[in-house]
Amino acid sequence: MTKKDFNYQAARQELQDLLDWFESGSADIDKALVSYKRAEELITQLEAYLSDIDKKLQISILSAEQ
């Protein structure tokens, strides 16, 4: 998935769905491992996206101050 294809809302919802599934208590061990790895991927993608947004905001703020 490229940065351009990344959909923050969809990724956040998928992560929430995974968390809800884990909390339901019906997780089987094989699916739990796959789901855990997917959750890690989503968290990494979301953090990278938010970090990129933060950098852009900081640049905008610095530019506006000058």
Side-chain angles (χ1 to χ4, degrees), residues 28-45:
D28 71 76
I29 192 72
D30 293 326
K31 186 173 181 183
L33 180 58
V34 172
S35 295
Y36 180 81
K37 288 180 181 182
R38 178 61 182 151
E40 283 184 323
E41 291 170 3
L42 288 166
I43 290 167
T44 299
Q45 291 172 354

Side-chain angles (χ1 to χ4, degrees), residues 9-23 39 42-43 46:
Q9 292 297 335
R12 189 165 181 247
Q13 184 60 53
E14 183 181 353
L15 180 58
Q16 185 61 54
D17 292 345
L18 287 170
L19 294 174
D20 291 344
W21 179 79
F22 274 109
E23 290 175 354
L42 288 166
I43 290 167
L46 289 163

Side-chain angles (χ1 to χ4, degrees), residues 6 11 17-19 24 26 31 34-35 37 39-40 46-47 49 51-54 57 65-66:
F6 183 75
D17 292 345
L18 287 170
L19 294 174
S24 74
S26 63
K31 186 173 181 183
V34 172
S35 295
K37 288 180 181 182
E40 283 184 323
L46 289 163
E47 286 176 340
Y49 178 82
S51 177
D52 188 45
I53 295 296
D54 184 55
L57 288 172
E65 290 176 351
Q66 294 180 357

Side-chain angles (χ1 to χ4, degrees), residues 53-66:
I53 295 296
D54 184 55
K55 288 175 189 173
K56 289 177 183 177
L57 288 172
Q58 294 300 323
I59 290 169
S60 294
I61 290 169
L62 290 174
S63 296
E65 290 176 351
Q66 294 180 357

